[in-house]
Amino acid sequence: MADPSSYRPKPGQIPDSPGVYKFRDEHRRVIYVGKAKNLRQRLANYFQDLAGLHPRTRTMVTTAASVEWTVVSTEVEALQLEYSWIKEYDPRFNVKYRDDKSYPYLAVTLNEEFPRVQVMRGAKKKGVRYFGPYGHAWAIRETVDLMLRVFPVRTCSAGVFKNAARTGRPCLLGYIGKCSAPCVGRVSPDEHRELAEDFCDFMAGRTGTYIRRLEKDMMQAAEEMEYERAARLRDDAEALKRAMEKSAVVLADATDADLIAVAEDELEAAVQIFHVRGGRVRGQRGWVTDKVEAVDTAGLVEHALQQLYGEETGDSVPKEVLVPALPEDPEAVSQWLADRRGSQVSLRIPQRGDKKDLMVTVQRNAQQALGLHKTKRASDLTTRSRALEEIAEALGLDTAPLRVECFDISHLQGDDVVASMVVFEDGLARKSEYRRFQIKGFEGQDDVRSMHEVIGRRFKRYLQEKERTGEWEETPAATGPVPAPGSPASVGPAPGSPAPAGAAGGVPTALADAPAVPGEEPGEEPREEPREDDGRPKRFAYPPQLVVVDGGQPQVAAAKRALDELGIDDIAVCGLAKRLEEVWLPDDDDPVVLPRSSEGLYLLQRIRDEAHRFAITYQRAKRAKRIRSSPLDDVAGLGETRKQALIKHFGSVKKLRQATIDEICEVPGIGRRTAESVAAALATAAPAAPAVNTATGEIMEEDDGGSTS
């Protein structure tokens, strides 16, 4: 636990202009980001008597080891920079809203030649028009089914579209009139795009124009005694009206607005948003967050606005945003919203009328969401804190293990031996930091040696990061001059971090020149030069307070031995044995037995089970990839298309192996050099074992060869 006075900057060093500040821990990781109109006044609040601080603020300042700041010109720039840094650094002490579900959107892919209407979830894509979010995907499909009568836009996938174009026959929707069938040329690309844009206009709230046009055409068809056409237009108008009825009118003045409500208690907060377009509720979504920083309703609203509109531009930001409480600096937030929209945005609290009544409904939804979250969520902040405290007490740790890493070994009878590393921070899985390993130090099945290898490799990388950043050297606090207010950036003091126990004295010679350890899975552990130390989450850069291994006394001893060999003695190690769920500690002959009702044991089980799941998933993927392998995979420059062409031409790998180079050259796209490479690869590769009918024991003749994937 750090003393804030050890890194407190001198008052004269801190400017009194707007800016954004960052608190870093002893490992240089950014743990909190904040903004201020006056940096000097705001930062002074963090360095008062600890007894006068909010408990969460006290935890943050005692976890931190340094503070830095960047000066900006205006409060709007500070708001934008704060949002960018929170997204970039993911600080653990900032409020982070979690969607309570992955909401579906109605999307129109206007970035394609033939736009497609479909249900989409996840991150928004450029060039796609979104409507929603909706509570259920079936609600989107019902609406689309009604509207396709009037706007027969393509809804099929790329594969179905290409197949229809190849065969010259449209799908069923094309035959029943719910698709204009651009795949077979019934409409031109321009005509189809016009249909898609009309669909978007109707969904955006411009409904009266289309219904009046349909009714006018219906009356004209009736006067001309085209009764079948008139009946079809009548049904089209009724379909659009039914689609409109699914979104009840809530604001009679056809307002475009978002209404945001907050329900909170001492530990958590729930946010609900209603998206109203054209006076109708077009979408709804909600977030839940732990209140890991001292924040009031106004602060929660500001964080919600940042998350909701931080990536949005144009009409995605409405003309009016109604909130239960105004942020600390409403003018700056309004200007930030206006910059994102490109025109004026009104940010206010509704006082009377329909908007206030609707805000009451949104508030009631937020209260219900918080209550439901409380009843369903077993890993709430109180439970997680109790679990971590129980683990610390049972294992004799000085503090609760806020970061826990768990390792597991997986194999199938000694083949495809792999390992997993999962990370839990504050009792929650941090999947972005999961890692997986191939065991390449030896062949065969030996879980103890595998565990020793994996622990050694993981913490060698950690020590290399410490050597690169110079954390093992005692350095004086950096106190450079502060640029004038309004300059692009000014960075405050960043004191050096103390050397960890067991590592003082520098990097061991064996590690100082150690190359990257072989066997890490590509894409999981970087081989390139690491980036400069800037506080961003990096692979293997941060040590855990506790290492958990899946296994008993032998695996724990192997993990402890690996740490001892690296000179690391400030990381606790334990093992969780599956048979009796016993917790084993190094050098102890008897296990620690936690009560079956213990929240600490439950958390350790969840961490161990997650490591097992991650390891066995990777092991199965490697085994499946090995089984599906083909001798053609090793031919340089031979892609999937040409491999399939070879198999299709000859019928099987067996027949391809028997072919001459001249015969291989007959395959379209295969030149002589490639044919020679294919022949050489098949000549050196051992033929696959014959297939056996497991029911009769009969050896079956190869017909189609091995897979080429």
Side-chain angles (χ1 to χ4, degrees):
M1 181 177 293
D3 182 1
S5 62
S6 64
Y7 63 89
R8 177 177 183 171
K10 296 179 181 179
Q13 293 179 323
I14 308 175
D16 57 1
S17 55
V20 183
Y21 54 91
K22 295 179 289 190
F23 281 88
R24 296 177 182 262
D25 63 11
E26 60 179 338
H27 304 290
R28 303 291 298 151
R29 177 163 51 171
V30 176
I31 62 172
Y32 184 75
V33 172
K35 65 174 177 61
K37 286 184 179 179
N38 187 312
L39 283 169
R40 182 177 300 172
Q41 292 180 2
R42 176 60 61 83
L43 289 177
N45 294 332
Y46 291 100
F47 296 102
Q48 55 181 289
D49 183 14
L50 290 177
L53 293 176
H54 190 282
R56 297 183 186 90
T57 306
R58 184 165 60 244
T59 302
M60 188 275 290
V61 297
T62 54
T63 303
S66 64
V67 61
E68 302 169 1
W69 55 83
T70 297
V71 172
V72 296
S73 302
T74 66
E75 291 87 346
V76 177
E77 290 183 23
L79 185 70
Q80 181 62 51
L81 184 58
E82 180 194 31
Y83 170 75
S84 300
W85 277 359
I86 290 174
K87 293 287 286 184
E88 182 177 3
Y89 297 119
D90 191 23
R92 51 174 290 217
F93 283 101
N94 278 92
V95 166
K96 293 185 287 289
Y97 291 108
R98 305 179 300 274
D99 274 347
D100 52 7
K101 64 178 75 173
S102 176
Y103 286 94
Y105 286 82
L106 172 59
V108 184
T109 58
L110 296 175
N111 56 346
E112 298 181 6
E113 181 184 8
F114 296 100
R116 176 190 177 192
V117 175
Q118 60 181 316
V119 178
M120 275 192 179
R121 298 177 185 264
K124 294 185 177 180
K125 301 177 181 178
K126 187 176 181 180
V128 178
R129 185 81 180 272
Y130 291 90
F131 302 96
Y134 291 81
H136 303 281
W138 55 261
I140 302 177
R141 296 188 178 96
E142 283 188 358
T143 301
V144 171
D145 186 64
L146 291 171
M147 293 183 60
L148 288 180
R149 290 182 53 92
V150 186
F151 308 107
V153 186
R154 167 198 165 206
T155 58
C156 60
S157 65
V160 173
F161 187 89
K162 290 179 181 178
N163 185 62
R166 180 178 57 82
T167 60
R169 297 195 305 272
C171 63
L172 178 62
L173 293 179
Y175 282 110
I176 64 176
K178 289 192 173 182
C179 179
S180 56
C183 52
V184 295
R186 288 186 184 173
V187 295
S188 67
D190 291 340
E191 291 171 334
H192 185 265
R193 179 167 294 276
E194 185 177 352
L195 279 174
E197 290 174 350
D198 289 345
F199 180 95
C200 291
D201 287 343
F202 187 89
M203 289 300 301
R206 292 182 281 275
T207 57
T209 302
Y210 295 98
I211 293 178
R212 286 193 297 271
R213 187 176 69 186
L214 288 174
E215 290 176 344
K216 180 180 178 181
D217 292 344
M218 177 187 68
M219 297 302 295
Q220 183 178 352
E223 290 176 0
E224 296 174 357
M225 293 186 289
E226 296 181 7
Y227 299 117
E228 291 184 0
R229 178 168 171 266
R232 187 169 62 253
L233 291 171
R234 177 202 61 199
D235 294 342
D236 289 349
E238 290 298 322
L240 291 184
K241 290 178 182 178
R242 288 198 303 273
M244 291 172 58
E245 289 169 359
K246 291 182 176 293
S247 300
V249 175
V250 292
L251 299 177
D253 57 357
T255 299
D256 289 349
D258 284 350
L259 289 89
I260 301 174
V262 177
E264 57 183 311
D265 58 19
E266 293 183 355
L267 298 176
E268 293 180 307
V271 176
Q272 282 287 312
I273 301 99
F274 275 25
H275 302 277
V276 179
R277 299 295 182 269
R280 299 173 182 270
V281 178
R282 297 291 184 178
Q284 175 188 357
R285 66 190 303 182
W287 296 317
V288 180
T289 181
D290 293 330
K291 295 173 68 174
V292 293
E293 61 175 297
V295 61
D296 56 9
T297 302
L300 290 170
V301 168
E302 182 173 319
H303 288 302
L305 292 172
Q306 286 180 312
Q307 173 137 343
L308 187 60
Y309 303 115
E311 306 294 334
E312 304 292 348
T313 57
D315 291 340
S316 298
V317 181
K319 297 178 181 178
E320 196 170 353
V321 179
L322 306 177
V323 294
L326 292 176
E328 180 183 354
D329 191 351
E331 292 81 9
V333 176
S334 297
Q335 183 59 49
W336 177 70
L337 293 172
D339 291 344
R340 306 208 66 80
R341 175 178 170 81
S343 61
Q344 188 64 36
V345 175
S346 172
L347 177 66
R348 62 188 184 87
I349 303 172
Q351 301 294 332
R352 64 183 68 83
D354 293 342
K355 294 176 181 177
K356 185 176 181 181
D357 293 341
L358 182 57
M359 179 63 82
V360 172
T361 301
V362 183
Q363 180 68 34
R364 187 162 57 247
N365 276 265
Q367 293 284 1
Q368 292 176 350
L370 182 62
L372 182 62
H373 173 78
K374 284 291 188 183
T375 58
K376 291 175 60 178
R377 183 174 167 81
S379 58
D380 63 75
L381 188 60
T382 304
T383 305
R384 298 200 314 271
S385 299
R386 184 166 65 249
L388 293 173
E389 290 171 0
E390 289 180 1
I391 292 173
E393 182 179 355
L395 303 184
L397 306 180
D398 295 334
T399 59
L402 296 181
R403 180 182 173 103
V404 181
E405 294 180 2
C406 184
F407 297 81
D408 186 26
I409 309 297
S410 181
H411 57 81
L412 181 65
Q413 298 179 349
D415 294 330
D416 300 316
V417 185
V418 299
S420 68
M421 178 187 104
V422 301
V423 179
F424 274 60
E425 286 194 350
D426 297 335
L428 294 176
R430 195 174 181 89
K431 294 192 176 183
S432 63
E433 298 195 19
Y434 284 14
R435 299 291 174 259
R436 54 193 188 184
F437 303 80
Q438 298 182 63
I439 303 301
K440 292 190 175 181
F442 61 93
E443 297 290 339
Q445 174 183 349
D446 191 333
D447 287 0
V448 176
R449 285 183 65 188
S450 299
M451 187 64 70
H452 178 271
E453 177 184 330
V454 170
I455 297 292
R457 281 163 47 188
R458 184 264 180 268
F459 286 98
K460 277 184 182 178
R461 295 298 295 269
Y462 162 59
L463 293 180
Q464 289 169 355
E465 282 291 324
K466 292 181 72 66
E467 177 194 13
R468 183 185 63 80
T469 58
E471 281 192 56
W472 285 6
E473 299 176 3
E474 292 288 344
T475 57
T479 56
V482 180
S487 60
S490 63
V491 180
S497 302
V507 185
T509 304
L511 290 179
D513 301 322
V517 182
E520 289 88 343
E521 187 67 6
E524 293 294 332
E525 302 176 27
R527 299 178 184 273
E528 70 276 4
E529 184 67 21
R531 294 174 295 177
E532 291 299 316
D533 184 26
D534 52 10
R536 296 178 178 88
K538 293 188 288 291
R539 300 172 174 91
F540 300 115
Y542 310 119
Q545 285 80 47
L546 176 63
V547 168
V548 180
V549 299
D550 183 10
Q553 202 169 24
Q555 286 83 358
V556 175
K560 179 62 175 172
R561 188 170 68 254
L563 292 176
D564 291 342
E565 291 170 357
L566 297 173
I568 299 175
D569 60 3
D570 59 342
I571 297 177
V573 180
C574 74
L576 186 61
K578 289 189 180 73
R579 188 170 65 90
L580 298 175
E581 303 293 15
E582 302 163 329
V583 179
W584 290 89
L585 296 176
D587 305 323
D588 284 1
D589 295 331
D590 298 318
V592 177
V593 179
L594 294 173
R596 290 292 177 177
S597 59
S598 166
E599 290 291 344
L601 177 61
Y602 175 61
L603 177 58
L604 287 176
Q605 289 172 330
R606 283 177 43 227
I607 296 172
R608 188 269 318 277
D609 293 344
E610 177 69 357
H612 180 69
R613 179 201 66 79
F614 193 53
I616 200 169
T617 300
Y618 180 41
Q619 193 273 334
R620 287 172 176 169
K622 283 187 64 64
R623 177 162 52 94
K625 182 178 179 180
R626 177 170 54 83
I627 292 173
R628 294 195 304 266
S629 64
S630 163
L632 296 178
D633 295 338
D634 299 327
V635 179
L638 189 65
E640 188 64 30
T641 301
R642 294 200 291 174
K643 281 193 290 184
Q644 295 292 350
L646 285 168
I647 296 301
K648 183 177 181 180
H649 182 85
F650 290 100
S652 68
V653 174
K654 179 180 179 181
K655 294 179 180 178
L656 175 59
R657 183 180 282 111
Q658 297 170 352
T660 65
I661 293 177
D662 291 336
E663 291 173 336
I664 297 175
C665 289
E666 295 175 1
V667 179
I670 304 296
R672 188 164 191 83
R673 180 176 298 178
T674 303
E676 292 173 351
S677 300
V678 169
L682 294 177
T684 57
V692 178
N693 187 320
T694 56
T696 63
E698 176 187 5
I699 296 179
M700 304 171 64
E701 188 69 21
E702 180 186 16
D703 292 325
D704 55 357
S707 168
T708 63
S709 61

